[in-house]
Amino acid sequence: MPQVCGSRGPGRPRDTRADQAIVDATLELLAQVGISGLSVEEVALRAAVSKATIYRRFECKDALILAALTSLNSGLPTRLPQGQVRDVLITVFESWWSSHGTSQSGRLFPQLFGHARSNPELFGQFFDQVIEPRRDVFRAILRQGVSAGELSPTTDVELVTTLLISSSVYTLHLRAAGRDVAPGSTA
């Protein structure tokens, strides 16, 4: 898939505080106004940087959005928890819901899925760089369960992964609409 837009080349060392402020402001705005409502001017204002600072880091608005969204994967496990597949799935889901279920990033996903048709190139990059790494976690857990004999060797890992992810997307959509249907909720 082609890049959303080109990337900037190396230059002088960047201020990591400005980088984080830009990412945080972008995520905040995406959660509030979505892709179509996000402006680089407002990101700059909220991050307390100039537009030039943003454009030195990101060639275009889509590259800024993609970088901010990719930062959401910083909390993905680097090593899978050990244990029975059921317990590992519960641990991963509980971690997911505690960090994303009601947070700003939990409000982002419904916004992004709503813009998939209007900006398929950005959505494709989002899918490849944000969703696929999450799917990889579930694939690994399921394969671990197959290897341990807890799941049938004929388990369709891709299908079960899709079912797990789709239930998360569904729950995020409902939470964004003010309903909480996650396990243990009282909605």
Side-chain angles (χ1 to χ4, degrees), residues 26-79:
T26 303
L27 291 173
E28 180 182 303
L29 276 167
L30 283 171
Q32 291 173 357
V33 300
I35 292 173
S36 59
L38 184 133
S39 72
V40 174
E41 293 82 7
E42 185 64 23
V43 171
L45 181 67
R46 290 188 185 202
V49 300
S50 69
K51 281 176 45 178
T53 298
I54 293 172
Y55 283 118
R56 274 193 297 275
R57 289 161 169 77
F58 309 100
E59 187 172 284
C60 65
K61 180 175 137 179
D62 282 357
L64 167 64
I65 291 169
L66 189 59
L69 293 172
T70 302
S71 76
L72 296 173
N73 281 349
S74 64
L76 288 179
T78 54
R79 284 187 15 198

Side-chain angles (χ1 to χ4, degrees), residues 117-186:
R117 286 190 177 157
S118 63
N119 194 336
E121 192 171 311
L122 177 62
F123 184 79
Q125 292 289 323
F126 163 71
F127 188 88
D128 292 344
Q129 295 181 32
V130 180
I131 300 298
E132 269 305 308
R134 293 163 190 267
R135 290 176 58 87
D136 287 342
V137 170
F138 288 106
R139 286 181 187 112
I141 293 168
L142 295 170
R143 287 182 182 125
Q144 184 175 297
V146 169
S147 293
E150 295 177 58
L151 298 174
S152 168
T154 61
T155 297
D156 187 335
V157 171
E158 286 304 312
L159 174 61
V160 176
T161 297
T162 298
L163 292 170
L164 292 170
I165 293 292
S166 62
S167 67
S168 294
V169 171
Y170 167 78
T171 302
L172 286 175
H173 277 355
L174 289 176
R175 283 184 169 184
R179 300 292 296 188
D180 189 355
V181 295
S185 71
T186 57

Side-chain angles (χ1 to χ4, degrees), residues 77 79-84 87-89 91-92 137 141 144:
R79 284 187 15 198
L80 291 180
Q82 295 301 305
Q84 293 187 332
D87 297 334
V88 172
L89 286 170
T91 298
V92 169
V137 170
I141 293 168
Q144 184 175 297

